[in-house]
Amino acid sequence: MRVGFYQFRPIFGRVHLNRKKVVKKLSTVEADLLVLPELSFTGYHFQDRAEIFPLAEDPAGSPTIDALAEVCSRKDFFIVTGFAEKQGEHLYNSAALIGPNGLTHVYRKIQLFFREKDIFQPGNISLQVHEIKGVRIGMMICFDWIFPEISRILALQGADIICHPSNLVLSYCQSAMLTRCLENSVFAITANRFGTESRPHGNLRFTGKSQIVSPKGALLYRARSQRQELVIMEIDPAQARNKKMTEKNDLIADRRPDMYSELCKAQKTSGQNI
Ligand code: ACM
């Protein structure tokens, strides 16, 4: 399977321009699955809800989803992309899985990062895995990486590849994803953006270094930090279905959910469970 990512620098607030750039670039690509960054079309560093609201799109009538679906149909590939989703008055930081037949699924970011909490509703749709071209795809968005439960659930649901649109600003994720892949025996494609958004309320610099990681936690490719890159590589998704670490150890079968009940308890504050 030919998989890859497009690392680029969306122009803040210019949805039409960003869409045009992405569609033009993807039209040159031969691949099966491409991952784009989080909030690829709007930019990221919004001051408040009011600023992003007019730019967000309801997938039911979205020029962005429609344009990407047209490329997928023409090129016979699938795209996972971050986008700002609007549903009535609510906004979600979402990822769409789009293919030759149009929109397949929308994932809404479950773990919101920093100021996103003032803008978006937290995701309210259960994690799901979808089969494309015989391969099982799970989605998570950026800061979801720091909660190992997210990638674990996707692995338990049978994901072969975790598609991970991102707008990373901290430096930890790229290394941590090697462990996320190893502990779950899955591939991950982290598609990050680069560049700086300078706004009246502060500057954010995005870290680039988009990457593709194997089920053994090997870094198959990592992009530069501040460069546009479109990367496609051949992987064998079947490698993700071998969950054995030794002849006697299986990452999934050896789990002890009977000993993990703490994980399912709601906690008001972390680390204060006395
Ligand atoms: C992030 O979740 N965009 C850091």
Side-chain angles (χ1 to χ4, degrees), residues 38 44 109 113 116 142-143 167-169:
E38 178 181 10
Y44 180 82
K109 187 175 186 177
F113 178 72
E116 291 172 29
C142 205
F143 196 51
N167 275 188
L168 293 159
V169 293

Side-chain angles (χ1 to χ4, degrees), residues 13-156:
R14 305 290 300 275
V15 174
H16 180 73
L17 207 67
N18 293 324
R19 181 164 69 229
K20 212 167 130 192
K21 177 188 172 91
V22 167
V23 165
K24 186 169 173 203
K25 192 72 177 178
L26 298 194
S27 296
T28 66
V29 174
E30 303 302 324
D32 297 302
L33 172 66
L34 286 157
V35 186
L36 305 178
E38 178 181 10
L39 296 176
S40 271
F41 305 96
T42 53
Y44 180 82
H45 197 22
F46 290 89
Q47 187 162 286
D48 53 29
R49 270 186 106 249
E51 199 176 30
I52 190 172
F53 197 84
L55 304 176
E57 297 179 57
D58 181 338
S62 159
T64 300
I65 303 285
D66 291 351
L68 295 175
E70 191 281 321
V71 186
C72 289
S73 161
R74 187 158 32 93
K75 303 291 294 185
D76 191 31
F77 56 44
F78 286 78
I79 294 172
V80 171
T81 185
F83 75 107
E85 183 190 359
K86 184 189 295 181
Q87 283 296 336
E89 284 305 301
H90 290 322
L91 296 174
Y92 298 93
N93 183 343
S94 297
L97 171 62
I98 306 163
N101 295 323
L103 181 64
T104 299
H105 184 60
V106 172
Y107 165 71
R108 295 172 174 163
K109 187 175 186 177
I110 290 177
Q111 318 283 357
L112 297 174
F113 178 72
F114 197 38
R115 295 173 68 107
E116 291 172 29
K117 292 188 174 194
D118 303 328
I119 293 176
F120 300 107
Q121 301 290 120
N124 54 2
I125 299 175
S126 302
L127 291 157
Q128 291 178 28
V129 163
H130 291 266
E131 189 165 314
I132 63 161
K133 301 191 175 197
V135 176
R136 299 189 293 240
I137 302 297
M139 294 188 276
M140 66 181 195
I141 301 178
C142 205
F143 196 51
D144 283 332
W145 72 266
I146 207 167
F147 300 89
E149 294 87 349
I150 300 284
S151 41
R152 177 61 106 197
I153 289 168
L154 292 172
L156 289 173

